[in-house]
Amino acid sequence: MYISVQLDNLSDGAINKLLEAHLKEMYRHSPPGSVHALNPDKLNDPMVTFWGARIDGVLAGCGALKEITSSLGEIKSMKTDSRFLRKGVAGALIEKILAEAKQRKYKEIKLETGRTEAFAPAIALYRRYGFEDCDPFSNYTNDPFSLFLSKKL
């Protein structure tokens, strides 16, 4: 199975539907003040680069890279469609995002994710790619529902 990861301009609406489902899921597992997923309307920020992963032309997942500073990026909006779980979609997206971060010469890439059991697969994925615990960054604050991870590039 070939996974194609390409820049996405969000024009076909498929990613918006996936991200709306992602937000609903986040609110099921975290209180409102602890949900930091981007709303689809914030994805057109010029500091955010967005990719869609497709299998046989069908949207299988998405991910984004937000520039925090000229040397720091943040992974945002990582989501795999439930029909494509455990097929390598998230790994393909992480690899594309890390490659882009290195090309931009970022020194570090960080992310925020949930810390409850529902987020265990995502945390395991990030750890496989060398992410380690870190303190809150950017506009985040300590939150018992958030886990902050970082990877030096």
Side-chain angles (χ1 to χ4, degrees), residues 18 23 35-36 40 42 47 50 59 70 85 88 102 104 110 112 118 123 133 136-137 141 147-148:
L18 183 60
L23 277 172
V35 174
H36 304 289
K42 294 192 177 175
M47 302 311 283
F50 209 85
L59 182 66
S70 62
L85 292 173
K102 288 175 184 173
R104 293 180 185 183
K110 295 186 176 193
E112 179 277 337
I123 294 166
D133 293 14
F137 60 97
T141 59
L147 177 66
F148 302 97

Side-chain angles (χ1 to χ4, degrees), residues 3 7-8 10 26-28 42 52 55 62 66 70 102-103 107 109 121 127 130 143 147:
I3 302 168
L7 287 173
D8 198 298
L10 311 173
M26 296 303 97
Y27 283 110
R28 253 191 15 240
K42 294 192 177 175
I55 297 174
C62 60
K66 180 179 181 180
S70 62
K102 288 175 184 173
Q103 184 176 335
K107 292 181 178 16
I109 190 163
R127 295 216 189 278
D143 180 333
L147 177 66

Side-chain angles (χ1 to χ4, degrees), residues 10 15-17 20 41 50 53 55 58 72 79 85 88 91 95 97 99 103 124 130-131 137 144 151:
L10 311 173
I15 286 180
N16 281 352
K17 288 178 188 169
E20 286 168 7
D41 60 325
F50 209 85
I55 297 174
V58 177
L72 174 64
K79 178 64 178 165
L85 292 173
E95 289 170 15
I97 292 169
Q103 184 176 335
F131 284 82
F137 60 97
K151 177 180 175 67

Side-chain angles (χ1 to χ4, degrees), residues 130-141:
F131 284 82
E132 299 176 345
D133 293 14
C134 69
D135 291 328
F137 60 97
S138 189
N139 296 324
Y140 295 106
T141 59

Side-chain angles (χ1 to χ4, degrees), residues 41-147:
D41 60 325
K42 294 192 177 175
L43 296 175
N44 291 319
D45 181 331
M47 302 311 283
V48 176
T49 305
F50 209 85
W51 290 271
R54 291 184 174 357
I55 297 174
D56 297 328
V58 177
L59 182 66
C62 60
L65 177 60
K66 180 179 181 180
E67 184 168 300
I68 304 298
T69 70
S70 62
S71 63
L72 174 64
E74 178 185 5
I75 293 177
K76 298 291 292 180
S77 301
M78 284 286 296
K79 178 64 178 165
T80 300
D81 185 293
S82 61
R83 299 171 292 170
F84 297 99
L85 292 173
R86 288 169 281 295
K87 298 191 184 304
V89 173
L93 284 159
I94 288 275
E95 289 170 15
K96 178 64 92 174
I97 292 169
L98 289 173
E100 178 67 21
K102 288 175 184 173
Q103 184 176 335
R104 293 180 185 183
K105 300 192 181 345
Y106 290 166
K107 292 181 178 16
E108 190 173 17
I109 190 163
K110 295 186 176 193
L111 63 91
E112 179 277 337
T113 191
R115 66 167 64 239
T116 63
E117 187 60 32
F119 297 94
I123 294 166
L125 171 80
Y126 297 130
R127 295 216 189 278
R128 273 197 309 277
Y129 279 91
F131 284 82
E132 299 176 345
D133 293 14
C134 69
D135 291 328
F137 60 97
S138 189
N139 296 324
Y140 295 106
T141 59
N142 277 320
D143 180 333
F145 290 91
S146 289
L147 177 66

